[in-house]
Amino acid sequence: MTDLSVTIGGLRLANPVMPASGTFAEGLGEAIDLNRIGALVTKTITRELRAGNPLPRVAEVVGGMLNAIGIPSKGVPYLLEHTIPLYRSWTPPLVVSISAPTAEGFASLAAEVSVPGVAAIEANISCPNIEEDGKAFAMRAASTEAVVRQMRAATALPLWVKLTPNTGEIADVARAAEAAGADALVVANTILAMAIDLESFKPRLGNVMGGLSGPAVKPIVLRQVFQCARAVRIPIIGCGGISTAADAAEYMLAGATAVQVGTATFLNARAMIEVIEGLDRFCDARGFRQVSALTGALKHEETDEEDLSWVAADGR
Amino acid sequence: MTRFHPQVAEAPATVVSNDPVNGEYRHLVVTGSALAAAAQPGQFFQLLCPAPPGEAPFLRRPMSLYGADPETGRIAFLYKVTGAGTRGLATLAEGDRLPLLGPLGNGYRLDPAWKHIVAIGRGAGLATLGPLAKAARAAGIGVTAVLSARRPDLVVSDALFRAQGATVLTVTDSQGNSGPAHVERLLRGLIADQRCDAFFTCGSSRLLRVQQILAREFAIPGQVALEQQMACGLGMCFCCVRDFLTDGAIVHKRVCWDGPVFDIREALP
């Protein structure tokens, strides 16, 4: 038996496996025992009521799927009165994912959801920032720092900041989030993508563009976790194309303390359970008593800066 | 801590048979877990379809239940080959493994106070209605099935209804009697004969509209099974939403989680 527990910004999880926001709801509890997973992570909520995007909202592609759901949200009162009490039927800590169109909006929403029953806040700063011409907060270090600093002042709860993989400066963005007081980073959201139907000549998503997830994104996001882990001291939660314990182990070796499983759950409701059981076996087979020993255990020769110059272009 | 009791099985099933039933439909029979085989009419499964040559379906495909027998563990589906997923399903042979998740969603509900119900469907919707025949008989409720298709050879579920003692009326485009006006005449006749305590429907928005009008006129309850593209099947991803008229307002509901069977009064065609 491996000690599967991990600690993320002061929050202890029984194991490092949790759902990715937007791919989880209480319905999964009909198929798997939610008390076995490391944490519960809500769909992103916003203060404003949102209906979501036009259909179709998903499209399958080779090795993954595109989604443009559009963050349908029933608002804060519904979260406080229904969602949070509902998730108290299970033991894992509850992480509430929030989003807002302004830094001030993020801060006030963070304050509003800082209530008993919520163990941490995940700030989805990959959404468009209306103060920055619609560019996601997490595209740049400066906008990331500003929004995280305001949230930090608004809540005492552990603050996880979810980055976008669509920036070319992810290490700078990671450092900015850490400097502004983030307790952990979630790396990363989906990769902006599109697909076209050759019968109709129309985009295959109602929103035209959407986020790519699934096995296709894993090598890209794994690289970004590695880059962020070198840049910051706060824990990183890897999220991108994880379907198996082997995928999770790779993320941990690259520097992740925990992982989120999303799209894989759509193909196998037991995916998170299998990742947990598989990590236990992987650690046993490799002689690790604690899963946390995998974090950052990547073996690589330190290279001269010159040899890594091609990496530098994408974020040092 | 309360013990975990799964309501939905995530487990591979084993293919028993997978045979064509007519020019368009195939009948797939698998053996699955006891939980899966306890599926009720109107519920569905998410099937992880194998990849057909040259294609790679990524997401699972929702498939409504055609039949389930808890005693034998058998679960049946009736499907039309229309895309990469169903082309993959068509490649399955006896003994093959088919990962499936289910039963999912809210099925049809039968009120023991009903004496006689009418099941009205068209095309692929006929497969969804099929298992109602057995459930209604078990509840002591008589059934008239109005089955619509493009041609008589494409009518499915008729044998299933007849085997359970139901009266079967088939209407087809090729015979020119499948239009909503003709179906409405049939239904008004059944209502006049007091053989329509409730409507059960699937597969046609034109036929749904006819039933909605009659349901209002005669205060007859009704249930419709709806379809939508799905990803998760468990109410998590919100891709399968449709508009419903609920308490005077148009709201989004998830077909997989809030349905797939809905009150016909709130369904918008």
Side-chain angles (χ1 to χ4, degrees), chain A:
Chain A
M1 275 301 272
T2 315
D3 174 5
L4 291 174
S5 68
V6 296
T7 304
I8 295 171
L11 182 64
R12 189 174 177 281
L13 308 182
N15 67 66
V17 182
M18 68 187 92
S21 176
T23 65
F24 171 72
E26 72 278 13
L28 190 61
E30 303 217 331
I32 68 163
D33 185 355
L34 298 182
N35 288 329
R36 293 186 62 189
I37 64 179
L40 310 171
V41 184
T42 69
K43 255 183 103 63
T44 296
I45 73 130
T46 59
R47 169 173 291 118
E48 57 276 13
L49 304 178
R50 294 171 57 98
N53 284 330
L55 273 58
R57 291 176 170 188
V58 302
E60 62 180 9
V61 295
V62 176
M65 63 177 275
L66 308 182
N67 87 80
I69 306 293
I71 315 187
S73 172
K74 291 180 174 172
V76 179
Y78 188 89
L79 176 90
L80 298 178
E81 287 159 32
H82 295 97
T83 313
I84 293 173
L86 172 72
Y87 284 123
R88 291 184 109 171
S89 337
W90 290 284
T91 52
L94 177 65
V95 181
V96 171
S97 170
I98 63 168
S99 188
T102 63
E104 170 56 32
F106 261 108
S108 57
L109 187 53
E112 280 182 88
V113 303
S114 295
V115 297
V118 178
I121 292 172
E122 180 178 290
N124 177 9
I125 62 164
S126 313
C127 57
N129 173 1
I130 59 168
E131 293 158 336
E132 288 261 349
D133 199 23
K135 191 173 280 224
F137 292 91
M139 288 297 286
R140 292 176 180 153
S143 47
T144 298
E145 173 144 9
V147 68
V148 175
R149 201 169 286 289
Q150 287 216 37
M151 276 188 285
R152 181 71 288 165
T155 181
L157 283 177
L159 183 58
W160 302 359
V161 175
K162 187 166 180 176
L163 304 189
T164 176
N166 298 317
T167 177
E169 306 154 15
I170 199 156
D172 291 338
V173 170
R175 271 190 288 265
E178 180 183 45
D183 294 294
L185 303 176
V186 181
V187 180
N189 211 310
T190 53
I191 297 177
L192 195 59
M194 71 182 282
I196 297 169
D197 182 283
L198 290 180
E199 294 291 322
S200 64
F201 281 32
K202 287 180 180 170
R204 286 173 54 207
L205 289 175
N207 190 53
V208 183
M209 290 182 284
L212 174 65
S213 63
V217 309
K218 197 192 90 182
I220 297 171
V221 182
L222 183 73
R223 177 267 296 175
Q224 294 181 320
V225 164
F226 175 68
Q227 289 177 304
C228 291
R230 291 195 309 183
V232 300
R233 289 167 182 277
I234 53 176
I236 291 167
I237 300 156
C239 176
I242 296 170
S243 345
T244 63
D247 296 331
E250 266 192 89
Y251 268 93
M252 294 188 74
L253 293 176
T257 298
V259 294
Q260 294 185 342
V261 176
T263 303
T265 302
F266 296 174
L267 308 187
N268 172 11
R270 300 191 74 254
M272 282 189 281
I273 302 294
E274 290 173 10
V275 171
I276 295 164
E277 292 172 349
L279 277 176
D280 189 358
R281 285 195 301 271
F282 180 84
C283 289
D284 267 351
R286 296 283 175 156
F288 287 96
R289 289 214 188 118
Q290 294 164 325
V291 76
S292 57
L294 293 177
T295 297
L298 177 73
K299 291 179 183 169
H300 72 299
E301 302 296 325
E302 284 301 332
T303 319
D304 291 344
E305 285 300 314
E306 221 168 298
D307 295 337
L308 274 176
S309 57
W310 63 276
V311 178
D314 212 13
R316 291 192 299 196

Side-chain angles (χ1 to χ4, degrees), chain A residues 22-35 43 51 55-61 63-65 69 72 74 91 213-215 263 265-270, chain B residues 1-2 4-10 35 46 48 56-61 84-85 99 101 103 228-232 234-242 252 254 257:
Chain A
T23 65
F24 171 72
E26 72 278 13
L28 190 61
E30 303 217 331
I32 68 163
D33 185 355
L34 298 182
N35 288 329
K43 255 183 103 63
L55 273 58
R57 291 176 170 188
V58 302
E60 62 180 9
V61 295
M65 63 177 275
I69 306 293
K74 291 180 174 172
T91 52
S213 63
T263 303
T265 302
F266 296 174
L267 308 187
N268 172 11
R270 300 191 74 254
Chain B
M1 199 189 302
T2 51
F4 170 63
H5 293 290
Q7 308 295 309
V8 173
E10 171 72 76
L35 179 53
Q46 283 275 61
L48 190 64
F58 180 75
L59 296 169
R60 296 205 258 209
R61 297 299 194 269
L101 175 75
Q228 191 64 286
Q229 181 205 24
M230 290 181 189
C232 75
L234 284 167
M236 304 189 288
C237 72
F238 285 75
C239 90
C240 68
V241 295
R242 289 178 68 125
H252 275 158
R254 292 161 287 181
W257 183 252

